[in-house]
Amino acid sequence: METVLSGIRPTGHLHIGNYFGAVKNFIKLQENYNSYFFIADFHSLTTHPTPKDLHDNVKNVLAEYLACGLDPEKATIYIQSDVPEIPEMYLLFNMNAYIGELERTTTFKEKVRKQPDNVNAGLLTYPVLMATDILIHRAQKVPVGKDQEQNLEMARKFAKRFNHMYGVDLFPEPQAFNFGEQLVKVPGLDGSGKMGKSEGNAIYLIDEPKVIEKKVMRAVTDSGPTQKNQEKPEPIQNLFTLMSIVSDKETYDFFNEKYNNCEIRYGDMKKQLANDIIAFTLPFREKILEIAADHDYLHKVVTMGAEKARASASKTLQEVRKAVGFRKF
Ligand code: AMP
């Protein structure tokens, strides 16, 4: 069975874009792959969160992913900092990573632009830690977005370099996991192309119904169509795309026909859309609150995850130590 690995950054809450674009696919992966999902708390230290924020974010992310259906019995769900094999292997990999190639990565250059007052060494070696995350379980497949392609290329480079340098065949070259047609882009409510945390246009699974209603009713629209069957401008198309994701087909067709006949009332459409989004998110919200309050369950999940992740990681690390020449006296 092939091994798949995905890191989850502990920043903010899950929005419906995250759900349809990523989490829904993870739920499927755990059925057919030896899958690892980890919360990347070492990575998040590069931005210096306060200790309280760090812990709260890890807990939120954990509770929200579990509520969405990540199953600790099927997948290995763990917190990166619970696996001490990771920092050791990261140290060893750093010896074979060159400053020049690290400085040239676009993610690093972007960070230098975004946080010029905090260009720490962790940012520079971020691709080394990411390669470690993947290679420590010898994962073959990594579901990543376009922005992470170059870091995945680095992971392949480090895998090949290690194998070549020590004459071993320890690491497979990890490939980007392609979801093909299932890939969806959930639009924002502000007329922009994409729903996102930083865009400030997101509907979160944890949002209260009232908040969702407000957000949807505020969505950007126009003065309405003037010609039958005219093409929809982006903000209107976005509302319809959202509706196609959360509402049933009859509802979508009803409003689509109204639009095509120039009879649409955006207020009615938004009310319906808000109701359908709430019907979709409310069960998640209730589950998230229930799981987040169940300290014993969270403890059990991360303990079991750490055990399984360490078993796999320590096997690889033993081989790595042997390859580089560490011997017992
Ligand atoms: P982020 O919240 O940007 O860290 O993204 C986490 C995951 O959710 C990534 O796999 C993204 O590709 C996915 N994602 C984020 N926003 C959207 C969106 N609006 N539509 C579809 N997928 C998304």
Side-chain angles (χ1 to χ4, degrees):
M1 198 190 270
E2 279 193 308
T3 298
V4 170
L5 171 133
S6 188
I8 299 157
R9 283 181 297 169
T11 49
H13 292 282
L14 281 181
H15 53 71
I16 53 181
N18 294 135
Y19 180 81
F20 288 102
V23 188
K24 205 173 158 200
N25 292 318
F26 294 167
I27 311 297
K28 277 190 215 141
L29 286 180
Q30 68 185 359
E31 302 297 331
N32 303 312
Y33 290 87
N34 178 26
S35 29
Y36 291 86
F37 299 112
F38 70 97
I39 300 180
D41 58 347
F42 279 140
H43 284 283
S44 64
L45 291 179
T46 55
T47 58
H48 300 173
T50 66
K52 184 173 182 318
D53 283 351
L54 179 65
H55 179 73
D56 287 351
N57 287 341
V58 169
K59 185 178 160 185
N60 288 341
V61 163
L62 181 65
E64 294 189 6
Y65 276 82
L66 291 169
C68 288
L70 275 197
D71 183 346
E73 300 291 338
K74 292 178 181 158
T76 301
I77 302 167
Y78 63 100
I79 298 172
Q80 192 184 26
S81 65
D82 279 346
V83 182
E85 288 78 7
I86 294 171
E88 183 173 343
M89 196 158 119
Y90 166 61
L91 183 148
L92 297 175
F93 272 176
N94 266 322
M95 304 301 171
N96 305 334
Y98 296 99
I99 297 282
E101 63 189 347
L102 296 173
E103 280 174 342
R104 278 194 300 274
T105 58
T106 38
T107 42
F108 177 66
K109 286 195 257 181
E110 220 170 81
K111 290 282 179 185
V112 172
R113 250 197 325 270
K114 272 196 193 154
Q115 49 185 77
D117 300 331
N118 180 21
V119 184
N120 57 65
L123 279 179
L124 184 68
T125 57
Y126 194 101
V128 185
L129 185 53
M130 183 166 155
T132 303
D133 291 326
I134 299 166
L135 298 176
I136 206 158
H137 300 298
R138 291 178 252 189
Q140 288 110 333
K141 295 252 158 67
V142 188
V144 287
K146 265 256 165 286
D147 56 327
Q148 293 297 325
E149 278 280 5
Q150 196 183 18
N151 283 337
L152 193 57
E153 183 56 43
M154 298 284 279
R156 284 195 281 272
K157 201 191 253 183
F158 295 141
K160 271 195 286 197
R161 191 176 288 165
F162 190 95
N163 286 346
H164 181 72
M165 212 162 157
Y166 296 106
V168 290
D169 189 18
L170 190 51
F171 298 115
E173 288 180 40
Q175 305 299 325
F177 193 97
N178 191 349
F179 287 105
E181 287 168 21
Q182 297 160 28
L183 215 56
V184 287
K185 190 176 89 176
V186 178
L189 285 166
D190 53 355
S192 80
K194 192 183 154 193
M195 179 176 289
K197 283 188 260 282
S198 38
E199 284 79 0
N201 62 6
I203 293 179
Y204 297 97
L205 297 178
I206 190 76
D207 275 347
E208 283 179 49
K210 262 199 201 123
V211 173
I212 295 179
E213 207 176 288
K214 245 197 208 149
K215 285 181 178 176
V216 176
M217 295 316 280
R218 271 205 315 255
V220 177
T221 50
D222 57 16
S223 51
T226 50
Q227 285 170 27
K228 286 199 173 187
N229 301 315
Q230 77 177 59
E231 204 181 311
K232 300 179 182 90
E234 195 181 8
I236 307 304
Q237 181 54 51
N238 286 355
L239 284 183
F240 274 95
T241 305
L242 271 172
M243 191 166 245
S244 74
I245 294 170
V246 296
S247 307
D248 56 34
K249 191 173 175 308
E250 290 77 48
T251 307
Y252 177 90
D253 289 346
F254 175 82
F255 286 101
N256 197 34
E257 207 182 304
K258 290 264 178 216
Y259 184 89
N260 285 335
N261 290 329
C262 303
E263 290 167 350
I264 187 128
R265 286 163 52 171
Y266 290 130
D268 292 349
M269 180 181 179
K270 286 179 178 179
K271 217 173 258 165
Q272 181 69 45
L273 182 61
N275 282 344
D276 290 343
I277 293 178
I278 291 165
F280 172 75
T281 55
L282 199 57
F284 287 109
R285 175 180 156 74
E286 283 166 0
K287 192 104 194 130
I288 293 167
L289 294 175
E290 184 192 317
I291 291 178
D294 192 345
H295 185 263
D296 288 349
Y297 177 65
L298 292 177
H299 177 76
K300 203 175 116 190
V301 169
V302 296
T303 308
M304 187 166 93
E307 245 169 56
K308 287 202 277 180
R310 289 196 67 185
S312 153
S314 64
K315 251 192 229 160
T316 307
L317 184 60
Q318 259 175 30
E319 301 269 338
V320 168
R321 291 183 64 111
K322 200 167 101 192
V324 302
F326 292 150
R327 303 275 188 271
K328 284 222 159 43
F329 283 93

